[in-house]
Amino acid sequence: MKHVLSYLRGTLDVGITYGSVNAKAANLIGYSDADWGGDVETRKSTGGYVFTLNGGPISWSSKRQSTVALSSTEAEYMAMTQAAKEAAWLRLLLTNLGIYKGQETIPIHVDNRSAIAMGINPEFHQRTKHIDIQYHYVRQEIEAKRISTPYIETSRMLADGLTKPLAPPKFAIFTTELHLTKIEDA
């Protein structure tokens, strides 16, 4: 708790900067990540996502997954599902606000090629039989072309800071990429 309070005290002058919102070209992009088995007591993974609109984050989450993932692929796939649900909600909200009329497919960047393949391939696989049906929602969204899951290198994953502690240099990159900047005194 002391670390959290110290962090908050040290970042009182930090805010998010956004690019201008152009209704014809609103750029909504998602990033999804998981830390496989990161909880040393329960071995549950932490999943996280962040969505940016014209460069600035508008929605993010970091949450312990409800079940133990048997592989990093499964942990990433479960995180992708949560991100896909958020993408559906953001699409509806931003469309109703008249902000989002951009690309039909919302990209959700993922740094696990096996999880991407699992989302794209609707065939039954013996290795994925145990995965709860709710997590196959991501397949439905990909098939309907409401989301896509392009691969991104782990070093460029914006959701990384939501799933695990980062070393200071990586944390600095994380905050810069999320457009977190010092607010100038008025």
Side-chain angles (χ1 to χ4, degrees):
M1 188 62 158
K2 288 181 182 179
H3 292 297
V4 171
L5 292 174
S6 174
Y7 173 78
L8 292 174
R9 191 175 335 117
T11 57
L12 289 174
D13 60 344
V14 174
I16 300 171
T17 57
Y18 294 93
S20 64
V21 176
N22 178 339
K24 292 185 179 181
N27 192 10
L28 182 63
I29 300 173
Y31 298 85
S32 171
D33 197 22
D35 180 21
W36 179 43
D39 185 324
V40 294
E41 292 180 20
T42 65
R43 284 304 179 194
K44 290 183 179 177
S45 305
T46 300
Y49 61 77
V50 62
F51 284 88
T52 62
L53 182 65
N54 293 350
I58 59 166
S59 177
W60 56 88
S61 173
S62 177
K63 186 176 178 184
R64 185 76 25 101
Q65 294 176 346
S66 59
T67 59
V68 175
L70 301 178
S71 67
S72 60
T73 298
E74 186 176 340
E76 295 272 0
Y77 190 66
M78 289 191 286
M80 280 172 47
T81 299
Q82 296 310 311
K85 290 179 189 180
E86 185 70 5
W89 184 83
L90 287 171
R91 175 192 306 277
L92 181 63
L93 174 68
L94 296 174
T95 300
N96 287 339
L97 292 174
I99 294 172
Y100 184 76
K101 295 178 185 173
Q103 76 269 26
E104 292 181 22
T105 303
I106 299 170
I108 301 173
H109 295 279
V110 180
D111 63 358
N112 184 298
R113 293 182 195 271
S114 296
I116 293 169
M118 191 182 301
I120 294 170
N121 189 349
E123 293 180 22
F124 170 79
H125 290 287
Q126 189 64 27
R127 298 160 97 188
T128 62
K129 181 178 179 181
H130 65 280
I131 296 176
D132 195 309
I133 292 169
Q134 73 165 323
Y135 296 114
H136 291 306
Y137 170 79
V138 74
R139 284 186 186 164
Q140 173 185 308
E141 294 299 288
I142 291 170
E143 287 174 4
K145 299 198 184 321
R146 289 186 283 266
I147 67 166
S148 64
T149 53
Y151 175 77
I152 190 170
E153 294 174 13
T154 301
S155 63
R156 295 182 49 225
M157 172 53 68
L158 288 188
D160 213 21
L162 300 172
T163 61
K164 61 190 81 58
L166 300 177
K170 182 112 178 167
F171 184 75
I173 293 169
F174 173 71
T175 58
T176 299
E177 290 295 319
L178 288 177
H179 294 242
L180 297 173
T181 58
K182 287 214 179 261
I183 300 170
E184 299 296 325
D185 292 326

